[in-house]
Amino acid sequence: MAGNKSYTIVEYFGGDDGYRCGYCKNEKGNFSHGMWSHTMTVQDYQDLIDRGWRRSGKYVYKPIMNKTCCPQYTIRCHVLKFQPSKSHKKILKKMSKFISKGELPTGQDDGEPMDSVCGEEGPRELSKVCHAEMKCVAITDIQKEVAECPTITEAQKEVADAAPTGSESSRKDPVSVPDGRTTVTAPKPGAGMGADPSRPPCRKAKDLRKERRLQKEQMRQHADGVSSIVSPTPPTPTQTNQTKTLEDFINESLPDNFSHCLEVRLVRSSPPSPQFKASFDASYQVYKLYQMAIHKDPPDKPSECQFRRFLCDSPLEAEYSPDGPEVGYGSFHQQYWLDGRIVAVGVIDILPTCVSSVYLYYHPEFASLSLGSYSALREIAFTRQMQKQSPKLSYYYLGFYIHSCPKMRYKGQYRPSDLLCPETYVWLPIERCLPQLENSRYARFNQDPDAGDARVLKDVNRALVLYRRAVMPYAAYSRKRKGSSDETEVQQYASLVGQDCAERILLYRA
């Protein structure tokens, strides 16, 4: 986020009504809080998913953990420490054998796809989400209000002036967020303080633009059509004496007369890149076949509108940082091209400290290749590649771990991994959490009875509100409304996003 030009703007919908659960099929047992995000910075979304939120298109939801029928715990994998298990190696070798000899395995997929957040496992029925979207004010109108708003800096100053002296910022908590302060949103050093030692030396804008163009071209050549399987790196003598890494299995040598060519292309989906637009129809057709074969949708249900809304549209902005990944932050499609046609697509978000998996769909013809698990392994390898460019980007988020649903337990096989405590929002090793989940669907993983939420809401009056083309703290909004009747709703929203996010995110009020 550069300067004061980017803001997260949301509308909160609450979470009182139960809806159908896609896991246990309970018709009214699934409960979650939800909000529509018109636009969102990558740092704000990073902070939200570290509090149990997750997006489906532009709809962002948070399960009500102690009330919903199938509690969903955020799970992340430490990519630098990851080693493929025996079953993972089997899947990688199966793909290598298929590429090499052209033998498509018989039988069903023994892996699982990433979360079907836009299918029946989604946070709302499609009709409800569409209805909620129609009620929202047009995004261009809201962005125009923010752009023309003369009181943003005054509102932020009012919030800052209201901060208690001597209090320590909750963003310094090192447990629930690995490093909340990133160069994407890092504040500039104050006057008289000299250069910020955490930032690289100042450089001319012209040089930065030239370097960025070169980096984009290099990344396009690398990530937009080059397969690490087809163009493997021959192992060195020292490598052969060591344990094979994930990358070794992916880049396994192939014979000169291999049968197939697999390419993995990274294309930005929001805003849509030319490569994304050119492959849109082919990608949609694969999605349609997947939904009909895997989720048994009727032919008219996986519509192009649904595909765009949940898998192409994203509130995340395209952001770049000097010490971030070369492709930038935001929402992408990782396309798997086999012999010149798309056979699978992984929807991912690249955030300041992680790559977050959103969804995976594939051509049913290739289900026996375990493309769900294979794509997860490729995304872990991709995250490790990104980490070399941006050291803080060291986690792979697999969405939600649902212990009460046996088919979703496979996510716990990507070790080492952590689960997010639903009450204190700290990460704990999954090995410590599983015994509690065996005894109860809902569990507080943090065993310290005195531990609490480090970003707990302390003052709702400091939450930012966008009201009548002006940004203001909730306290000023209440005065203008002469005793607002929505204090309970705003209080609930602010407690769910946390104090620091409530002071940055703009909550739209009509």
Side-chain angles (χ1 to χ4, degrees):
M1 186 169 96
N4 291 320
K5 296 182 180 180
S6 297
Y7 299 91
T8 295
I9 304 172
V10 301
E11 292 187 65
Y12 178 66
F13 295 132
D16 297 329
D17 297 331
Y19 52 96
R20 187 177 188 273
C21 175
Y23 303 108
C24 69
K25 312 306 179 185
N26 188 317
E27 290 297 330
K28 294 290 184 179
N30 203 346
F31 290 86
S32 69
H33 301 282
M35 54 188 182
W36 189 264
S37 177
H38 294 278
T39 181
M40 182 171 287
T41 67
V42 292
Q43 184 60 63
D44 283 340
Y45 186 53
Q46 178 73 69
D47 290 347
L48 287 176
I49 63 173
D50 285 331
R51 291 183 66 83
W53 292 84
R54 181 163 167 77
R55 79 172 185 89
S56 174
K58 292 187 176 183
Y59 185 78
V60 187
Y61 64 102
K62 177 178 171 33
I64 303 177
M65 299 291 282
N66 59 357
K67 186 177 181 181
T68 192
C69 53
C70 296
Q72 304 163 55
Y73 300 90
T74 304
I75 183 171
R76 71 179 186 183
C77 171
H78 298 252
V79 297
L80 296 183
K81 299 177 182 179
F82 174 80
Q83 283 292 336
S85 66
K86 186 176 180 180
S87 62
H88 295 150
K89 294 175 184 178
K90 180 181 177 182
I91 291 170
L92 292 167
K93 290 179 179 178
K94 180 167 57 175
M95 176 63 77
S96 181
K97 184 177 180 181
F98 169 69
I99 297 296
S100 174
K101 300 181 179 181
E103 298 176 7
L104 194 63
T106 58
Q108 297 299 314
D109 178 13
D110 57 359
E112 289 288 348
M114 293 297 100
D115 281 342
S116 301
V117 292
C118 73
E120 62 179 357
E121 287 87 354
R124 299 280 185 207
E125 293 178 8
L126 180 61
S127 59
K128 293 183 179 180
V129 177
C130 292
H131 178 65
E133 181 187 8
M134 294 301 294
K135 291 172 61 179
C136 296
V137 179
I139 180 172
T140 52
D141 295 338
I142 294 183
Q143 289 177 325
K144 184 178 179 182
E145 290 180 8
V146 175
E148 297 177 353
C149 174
T151 58
I152 284 187
T153 53
E154 287 83 351
Q156 292 176 329
K157 185 176 184 300
E158 186 174 342
V159 170
D161 292 343
T165 56
S167 65
E168 187 173 5
S169 171
S170 60
R171 184 170 283 280
K172 295 181 181 179
D173 172 36
V175 182
S176 56
V177 179
D179 189 353
R181 181 179 178 274
T182 74
T183 56
V184 176
T185 56
K188 296 180 179 179
M193 294 176 62
D196 186 345
S198 66
R199 304 281 292 191
C202 293
R203 299 167 61 188
K204 291 183 178 180
K206 181 179 179 181
D207 294 337
L208 287 173
R209 288 195 298 270
K210 183 178 179 181
E211 182 182 44
R212 185 171 294 164
R213 283 197 299 269
L214 290 173
Q215 289 175 343
K216 285 182 178 179
E217 183 60 31
Q218 292 172 356
M219 180 54 66
R220 186 176 296 112
Q221 294 173 1
H222 260 43
D224 202 23
V226 178
S227 170
S228 57
I229 292 181
V230 176
S231 304
T233 303
T236 63
T238 55
Q239 288 177 321
T240 57
N241 297 327
Q242 298 174 353
T243 302
K244 291 178 69 173
T245 66
L246 173 62
E247 289 76 10
D248 291 334
F249 282 100
I250 292 175
N251 296 330
E252 201 160 34
S253 299
L254 296 174
D256 294 334
N257 58 340
F258 52 84
S259 299
H260 296 290
C261 175
L262 177 66
E263 300 176 88
V264 180
R265 303 178 185 177
L266 183 72
V267 297
R268 184 178 286 278
S269 56
S270 182
S273 66
Q275 296 88 349
F276 175 81
K277 292 178 180 178
S279 59
F280 177 86
D281 289 338
S283 184
Y284 166 60
Q285 291 303 321
V286 173
Y287 164 76
K288 190 172 183 178
L289 291 172
Y290 173 82
Q291 290 296 117
M292 290 190 294
I294 307 301
H295 292 292
K296 310 304 179 185
D297 283 356
D300 59 333
K301 183 178 180 181
S303 65
E304 184 176 318
C305 174
Q306 180 192 24
F307 176 66
R308 286 184 182 275
R309 177 173 286 110
F310 289 103
L311 297 180
C312 303
D313 292 347
S314 170
L316 301 183
E317 301 174 345
E319 301 182 27
Y320 297 87
S321 173
D323 63 349
E326 295 172 359
V327 297
Y329 300 110
S331 298
F332 297 82
H333 280 195
Q334 203 162 45
Q335 302 173 337
Y336 294 78
W337 290 74
L338 181 68
D339 301 332
R341 66 166 175 154
I342 295 178
V343 297
V345 177
V347 182
I348 61 173
D349 294 327
I350 301 179
L351 304 175
T353 65
C354 76
V355 169
S356 174
S357 175
V358 178
Y359 194 73
L360 183 281
Y361 59 94
Y362 53 83
H363 197 295
E365 179 183 342
F366 302 96
S368 60
L369 286 173
S370 305
L371 290 173
S373 297
Y374 178 77
S375 67
L377 295 168
R378 289 298 298 251
E379 288 171 6
I380 290 174
F382 173 74
T383 307
R384 297 203 317 197
Q385 178 187 348
M386 294 296 97
Q387 194 275 337
K388 293 178 181 178
Q389 303 169 14
S390 182
K392 287 179 289 190
L393 209 161
S394 58
Y395 295 99
Y396 173 61
Y397 283 46
L398 294 93
F400 288 134
Y401 175 82
I402 308 169
H403 193 77
S404 59
C405 180
K407 74 173 184 178
M408 298 303 292
R409 293 184 185 181
Y410 76 97
K411 294 186 179 184
Q413 298 172 4
Y414 298 87
R415 306 282 180 95
S417 58
D418 303 321
L419 295 183
L420 185 69
C421 177
E423 295 183 14
T424 62
Y425 302 112
V426 298
W427 296 96
L428 291 100
I430 191 171
E431 294 85 356
R432 291 173 52 184
C433 305
L434 293 181
Q436 298 177 67
L437 294 177
E438 288 292 334
N439 295 326
S440 174
R441 291 191 173 197
Y442 174 76
R444 170 192 163 113
F445 300 138
N446 193 332
Q447 296 299 295
D448 181 358
D450 298 323
D453 177 8
R455 292 173 174 78
V456 65
L457 178 66
K458 298 176 181 177
D459 186 1
V460 69
N461 289 319
R462 291 159 54 81
L464 284 185
V465 171
L466 176 62
Y467 176 63
R468 291 186 177 178
R469 302 177 62 180
V471 176
M472 62 194 73
Y474 181 74
Y477 165 75
S478 290
R479 291 194 297 269
K480 286 180 178 291
R481 291 285 300 268
K482 295 181 180 180
S484 175
S485 61
D486 60 1
E487 182 175 357
T488 300
E489 180 181 302
V490 176
Q491 181 98 19
Q492 183 183 61
Y493 149 81
S495 65
L496 292 168
V497 302
Q499 185 73 48
D500 50 351
C501 279
E503 294 179 15
R504 293 197 314 268
I505 295 175
L506 306 185
L507 176 64
Y508 183 82
R509 311 308 287 171

